[in-house]
Amino acid sequence: MAQIKILHIITRLIIGGAQENTVYTVLGLRDRGDYEVHLASGPTFGPEGSMEEEIRSSGIGIISIPYLRRNINPIYDFIAFWHIFFILKKGRYDIVHTHSSKAGFLGRLAAKLAGVKIIVHTIHGLPFHPYQPRIINYIYRLCERIVSCFTNKIIAVSMAMVDTASSAGIAPEKKFIVIHSGLDLTQFKPRHGNESLKKQFGIHENEIVIGKVARLFHLKGHKYLFRAISNLIADFPHLKILLIGDGILRHELEREADRLGIKDKVIFAGLVSRDKIPEMIAMMDIVVHCSLREGLARVIPQAMAMEKPVVGFDLDGSKEIIEDKVNGFLVKPKDVEGLTNTLKKLLENPSLIKEMGACGKKKIEPYFDKDYMLTRIETVYKELLWV
C-alpha cells in the first residue's frame, strides 16, 4: 500500500506552542510508517528563537518558502502564495495541513487551486481579537470565512477557539474538532528544583518563585504580573519572578520593572531550549499565565503535569483546564487587584500551593499527551480519506 503523502505548512519555526505541536505531529506521523510527511515554512527571524536545527537533526527536511512572513506584505504574500502552489502541484500531496494564520490562509488557498483533495487547518490562536482596529478585525474574519469554505476539517486546540470562530461565522460548528496540543509527558514529571540551577539564577533557598513562560511580546500580559508583584513585595520580600522567553519587549519590560521598584526581583532568563523547560518550571512555586489572547497556552498543562498551581486570566482556553479554586485560580482579564489578591492568598498558604498542584496533575493525562494528540489527528485524516 502506498504511503499517504502529507504536507504541513507553518509560517515560521520559532520556539513556540504552535511550532512544537506541528513538529510533534510531523515526527509522529513519520514514525508510524504509513505516511510520507513533509514540512514547509517561511524563514525564522527575531529574538524568539528557532526550532529549525532541532527539526533538521531529527531527519525532517524543511521546504523553505523565503517570502512567507508573519507580517502582511502584499508583494511577499503574492510570491509566497505562488511558491506554495507550485510546491503542491509538484508534490502531488494527498493532504495539506496548515498551521498559523498566514500559512493557513495562503496555504489553504493554494491547496484549493492546486486541486488537493483534503485540506486541514489547526487553529492555535485566531488572527482576529478584541484588541485590534475594527476594520482589521473584519478583514481577518472575512479571510478566515473564505478559506474555511474549502477546508475539510478545522482542528482547534481548545473549545473556546471553536466557540469564538463559529460565533464569528467562520464555519459551522460541525466542521471543527477539539484536539488539545500534545506534550511529551515523560519530560514533565514532578521534581524538586535543581539547586545549582537556582544558584545560577540567583534564587536563594528561602525565596518563593513565581514563574511565567511566554514570549516578551504584546498581549502576553507581563505588565499585569509586574504590577501585582509590586503590590506584594512589601509583605513578601522573598519573592522572585522568573520569566522564560525573549522578544521585542525585553528592554521595555526591564524599564518597567525598574520603574516599579522590582528590578532586583525579576529574572529575565531569556530563551531556553525545549528540553530545559521542565527543569525551569521545577524551580517555580506558582505559575502565572496572564496573556490576553491565547488558544490554550502549553505552559498551563506543562505546569499542572509538574504539580504546580496555575493562576490565569479567565479567557480563551484557560477555563477548560484551570478549575477555579481547585487546581489554580481564574482572574478577570487585566484585573491587577484580583491578580494581586489571588497571589497573596497562595503566598499566605503554602499548603494550598501543594494541594492545588496535586489536583492539577489529574487533569492532564492522557488528554495532553503527544501520542494521544497524534492518534486523534490520524483519525481525522483517515475519516476524510475514507469519505
Side-chain angles (χ1 to χ4, degrees), residues 296-338:
L296 200 166
R298 293 173 74 78
V299 69
I300 299 178
Q302 286 172 347
M304 287 186 176
M306 297 186 70
E307 297 189 353
K308 306 293 181 181
V310 181
V311 177
F313 280 166
D314 188 5
L315 44 68
D316 296 334
S318 294
K319 66 182 71 177
E320 295 170 36
I321 182 170
I322 299 175
E323 294 183 71
D324 192 35
K325 301 179 181 66
V326 177
N327 56 22
F329 288 95
L330 291 168
V331 177
K332 184 180 176 182
K334 299 184 179 182
D335 183 0
V336 173
E337 183 180 357

Side-chain angles (χ1 to χ4, degrees), residues 30-150:
R30 179 199 64 179
D31 293 343
R32 294 198 174 192
D34 296 330
Y35 308 93
E36 179 184 341
V37 194
H38 298 167
L39 175 62
S41 172
T44 301
F45 297 121
E48 298 97 339
S50 172
M51 295 181 66
E52 290 186 11
E53 287 304 315
E54 179 184 345
I55 295 164
R56 290 193 176 94
S57 67
S58 68
I60 293 288
I62 302 171
I63 301 172
S64 177
I65 308 171
Y67 289 95
L68 180 58
R69 311 291 175 90
R70 184 174 185 269
N71 294 330
I72 293 174
N73 182 310
I75 296 173
Y76 281 11
D77 295 344
F78 180 78
I79 297 171
F81 167 79
W82 285 108
H83 192 163
I84 297 169
F85 171 80
F86 287 117
I87 289 170
L88 297 177
K89 290 296 285 185
K90 182 179 179 181
R92 298 180 179 274
Y93 292 95
D94 300 297
I95 300 172
V96 166
H97 188 155
T98 60
H99 306 260
S100 68
S101 301
K102 175 66 75 70
F105 179 75
L106 297 178
R108 283 184 281 172
L109 202 60
K112 176 65 175 177
L113 188 62
V116 178
K117 292 183 179 179
I118 297 174
I119 302 171
V120 178
H121 177 64
T122 294
I123 298 175
H124 301 277
L126 289 162
F128 53 88
H129 54 81
Y131 309 104
Q132 61 196 175
R134 185 173 297 179
I135 184 63
I136 298 298
N137 186 285
Y138 173 78
I139 291 170
Y140 282 160
R141 288 178 187 232
L142 180 61
C143 289
E144 287 293 318
R145 287 172 190 161
I146 291 168
V147 292
S148 293
C149 291
F150 42 81

Side-chain angles (χ1 to χ4, degrees), residues 68-348:
L68 180 58
R69 311 291 175 90
R70 184 174 185 269
N71 294 330
I72 293 174
N73 182 310
I75 296 173
Y76 281 11
D77 295 344
F78 180 78
I79 297 171
F81 167 79
W82 285 108
H83 192 163
I84 297 169
F85 171 80
F86 287 117
I87 289 170
L88 297 177
K89 290 296 285 185
K90 182 179 179 181
R92 298 180 179 274
Y93 292 95
D94 300 297
I95 300 172
V96 166
H97 188 155
T98 60
H99 306 260
S100 68
S101 301
K102 175 66 75 70
F105 179 75
L106 297 178
R108 283 184 281 172
L109 202 60
K112 176 65 175 177
L113 188 62
V116 178
K117 292 183 179 179
I118 297 174
I119 302 171
V120 178
H121 177 64
T122 294
I123 298 175
H124 301 277
L126 289 162
F128 53 88
H129 54 81
Y131 309 104
Q132 61 196 175
R134 185 173 297 179
I135 184 63
I136 298 298
N137 186 285
Y138 173 78
I139 291 170
Y140 282 160
R141 288 178 187 232
L142 180 61
C143 289
E144 287 293 318
R145 287 172 190 161
I146 291 168
V147 292
S148 293
C149 291
F150 42 81
T151 306
N152 299 89
K153 203 70 177 177
I154 302 173
I155 298 170
V157 298
S158 70
M159 191 63 210
M161 295 292 96
V162 176
D163 293 339
T164 302
S166 58
S167 297
I170 303 305
E173 192 169 324
K174 64 182 180 181
K175 185 171 275 192
F176 296 89
I177 183 171
V178 175
I179 302 178
H180 295 309
S181 196
L183 311 171
D184 183 355
L185 290 179
T186 62
Q187 302 296 316
F188 293 92
K189 299 288 186 183
R191 68 182 82 170
H192 292 294
N194 184 299
E195 292 302 322
S196 63
L197 192 61
K198 284 185 176 181
K199 186 179 292 186
Q200 178 185 326
F201 285 104
I203 299 170
H204 303 294
E205 186 177 350
N206 65 335
E207 290 183 315
I208 300 172
V209 180
I210 296 175
K212 180 171 172 58
V213 182
R215 289 183 294 139
L216 307 183
F217 202 73
H218 301 289
L219 302 181
K220 292 297 183 180
H222 292 85
K223 63 182 181 180
Y224 304 109
L225 175 60
F226 282 15
R227 292 170 190 171
I229 296 303
S230 70
N231 294 335
L232 292 166
I233 210 68
D235 294 327
F236 302 96
H238 299 305
L239 277 182
K240 281 285 176 71
I241 301 92
L242 179 59
L243 303 180
I244 310 302
D246 208 342
I248 61 174
L249 297 185
R250 171 70 179 259
H251 297 307
E252 182 177 322
L253 289 171
E254 288 175 337
R255 289 193 296 269
E256 179 70 359
D258 190 25
R259 187 185 70 81
L260 291 170
I262 59 171
K263 185 178 181 179
D264 62 330
K265 301 295 182 181
V266 182
I267 303 167
F268 289 89
L271 288 176
V272 173
S273 61
R274 288 197 303 133
D275 61 313
K276 300 295 184 185
I277 292 294
E279 64 182 359
M280 300 301 286
I281 294 177
M283 293 193 292
M284 303 173 184
D285 297 289
I286 303 166
V287 174
V288 173
H289 177 68
C290 49
S291 294
L292 296 177
R293 174 177 171 252
E294 205 87 48
L296 200 166
R298 293 173 74 78
V299 69
I300 299 178
Q302 286 172 347
M304 287 186 176
M306 297 186 70
E307 297 189 353
K308 306 293 181 181
V310 181
V311 177
F313 280 166
D314 188 5
L315 44 68
D316 296 334
S318 294
K319 66 182 71 177
E320 295 170 36
I321 182 170
I322 299 175
E323 294 183 71
D324 192 35
K325 301 179 181 66
V326 177
N327 56 22
F329 288 95
L330 291 168
V331 177
K332 184 180 176 182
K334 299 184 179 182
D335 183 0
V336 173
E337 183 180 357
L339 183 58
T340 301
N341 293 335
T342 299
L343 290 172
K344 184 177 181 181
K345 185 179 297 185
L346 282 168
L347 293 169
E348 289 176 338

